[in-house]
Amino acid sequence: MSITDEVVLANQKYAATFNLGGLAKPPARKLAVLACMDARLTVEQFLGLKTGEAHIIRNAGGIATEDALRSLIISHELLGTQEFIVINHTDCGMLTFKDDELLQKLEERTGTTTIAPVHFHPFKNVEDNVRQQVARIKSHPYVREVPVRGFVYDVKSGRLAEVTDAHPRAAQRTA
Amino acid sequence: MSITDEVVLANQKYAATFNLGGLAKPPARKLAVLACMDARLTVEQFLGLKTGEAHIIRNAGGIATEDALRSLIISHELLGTQEFIVINHTDCGMLTFKDDELLQKLEERTGTTTIAPVHFHPFKNVEDNVRQQVARIKSHPYVREVPVRGFVYDVKSGRLAEVTDAHPRAAQRTA
């Protein structure tokens, strides 16, 4: 039995006692979360969110790509969310490679030269990456009125740490 | 108190009894799921997935955008997933608008003319949309060896229905 067959079977059990059929389309708590796809992040669970309460957008890294911005704009403009949260995490796979290395590996394995996507958005520092994604969202004219805060989730402790706007090095220069 | 403050507080409670700090980076069940961001889809829950078992990629509509493909390629190539699932759902917000209408609304509200993203990927039929996303993933040279199956999640019943390759109208013509 494939994993897909297994989860379809699990879904049949879930549906047998399902009682959330009356939920509305707009997220009840008017929140949208952008987080990494990492398997260790069960986002709703570690934020105490129930089914129906928030939009959850996830991609490799928790990056505010054009596609994540598409989702955030739809979330805010059409479905009324009023707060955004960006969540990256410790021990992220995006800290482990470089674009050109991955592209070379893919080209060698498949015999296919570079096609889209050509950027995989790896990063070197998770706090800096969160700041960059928050800034990217804040600067988009279609959602600039929405408050955005950024966090790093620690996969060892299950705890969120907020990433403040001020860059540590900038703060050091001021001190 | 903002919703963000509330979920940060909820996370502190979650972290107080956290005991999953030993999970490995690669998804334990070698599965990646691409699903819609809709608040009514608590994906891990309705698939019976535990923390650490699968990559979860989510965007508005559950569309195999270039960014979703980026995530799936990283998932398979760097973190070893061997099966992909695409999940769209009934009553999706993406069935309720057209690109040009939304762009006009955004331009009028913000006074800013069209900037990226210019395509929001609305669709008219959820089964057809699932077929299209599955086909898009299957045709990508960097993940073409990965089995992909598509489903529609019914937000009224909590149940998944598989979308088969064959187009209903094509089947009708054969009959």
Side-chain angles (χ1 to χ4, degrees), chain A residues 2-8 10-12 14-16 18 20-31 36-61 63 65-79 83-85 91-94 96-97 102-103 105-107 109-110 112-121 140-145 149 151 153-160, chain B residues 2-8 10-12 14-16 18 20-29 31 36-61 63 65-79 83-85 91-94 96-97 102-103 105-107 109-110 112-121 140-145 149 151 153-160:
Chain A
S2 68
I3 303 296
T4 303
D5 288 329
E6 288 176 13
V7 298
V8 169
N11 172 257
Q12 288 175 19
Y14 173 80
F18 184 78
L20 299 170
L23 294 174
K25 201 186 319 231
R29 292 175 79 184
K30 301 184 191 298
L31 174 71
C36 184
M37 69 176 178
D38 192 286
R40 295 164 294 179
L41 273 61
T42 305
V43 176
E44 293 91 329
Q45 201 172 61
F46 74 62
L47 294 178
L49 291 167
K50 295 194 195 109
T51 301
E53 293 192 333
H55 281 145
I56 311 289
I57 301 151
R58 300 179 62 176
N59 63 30
I63 309 292
T65 55
E66 186 180 312
D67 192 52
L69 285 164
R70 173 184 73 86
S71 298
L72 290 169
I73 292 165
I74 289 170
S75 176
H76 174 61
E77 186 72 24
L78 298 180
L79 292 155
E83 290 177 49
F84 294 160
I85 299 178
D91 193 41
C92 186
M94 306 300 279
T96 66
F97 71 95
L102 178 55
L103 282 170
K105 194 179 167 195
L106 287 163
E107 286 176 21
R109 180 173 66 76
T110 65
T112 304
T113 50
T114 306
I115 49 168
V118 291
H119 298 295
F120 289 92
H121 301 300
H140 197 293
Y142 290 169
V143 289
R144 68 181 144 206
E145 66 274 27
R149 285 163 65 184
F151 297 85
Y153 177 80
D154 185 330
V155 297
K156 295 283 179 206
S157 71
R159 193 174 291 273
L160 285 175
Chain B
S2 69
I3 303 298
T4 303
D5 288 328
E6 287 176 13
V7 300
V8 169
N11 171 257
Q12 289 176 18
Y14 173 80
F18 184 79
L20 300 169
L23 295 174
K25 199 185 324 235
R29 292 174 79 183
L31 174 70
C36 184
M37 70 175 177
D38 192 286
R40 294 164 295 180
L41 274 61
T42 305
V43 176
E44 292 91 330
Q45 200 171 62
F46 74 63
L47 294 178
L49 291 167
K50 295 194 196 109
T51 302
E53 293 192 335
H55 281 145
I56 311 288
I57 301 151
R58 299 179 63 177
N59 63 28
I63 310 291
T65 55
E66 186 181 312
D67 192 52
L69 285 163
R70 173 183 74 86
S71 298
L72 290 169
I73 292 165
I74 289 170
S75 174
H76 173 62
E77 186 72 26
L78 297 181
L79 291 156
E83 291 178 47
F84 294 158
I85 300 178
D91 193 40
C92 186
M94 306 300 280
T96 67
F97 71 96
L102 178 55
L103 281 170
K105 195 180 168 197
L106 287 163
E107 286 175 21
R109 179 172 67 75
T110 64
T112 304
T113 52
T114 306
I115 48 168
V118 291
H119 298 297
F120 288 92
H121 302 299
H140 197 293
Y142 291 170
V143 289
R144 68 181 145 210
E145 66 274 26
R149 285 162 65 184
F151 297 85
Y153 176 80
D154 186 330
V155 296
K156 295 283 180 208
S157 70
R159 194 173 291 274
L160 285 175

Side-chain angles (χ1 to χ4, degrees), chain A residues 127-165:
Chain A
E127 283 84 8
D128 283 348
N129 190 62
V130 168
R131 277 187 201 97
Q132 199 179 346
Q133 308 322 311
V134 168
R136 204 175 279 175
I137 297 167
K138 281 186 176 171
S139 71
H140 197 293
Y142 290 169
V143 289
R144 68 181 144 206
E145 66 274 27
V146 182
V148 191
R149 285 163 65 184
F151 297 85
V152 174
Y153 177 80
D154 185 330
V155 297
K156 295 283 179 206
S157 71
R159 193 174 291 273
L160 285 175
E162 185 152 14
V163 178
T164 53
D165 280 344

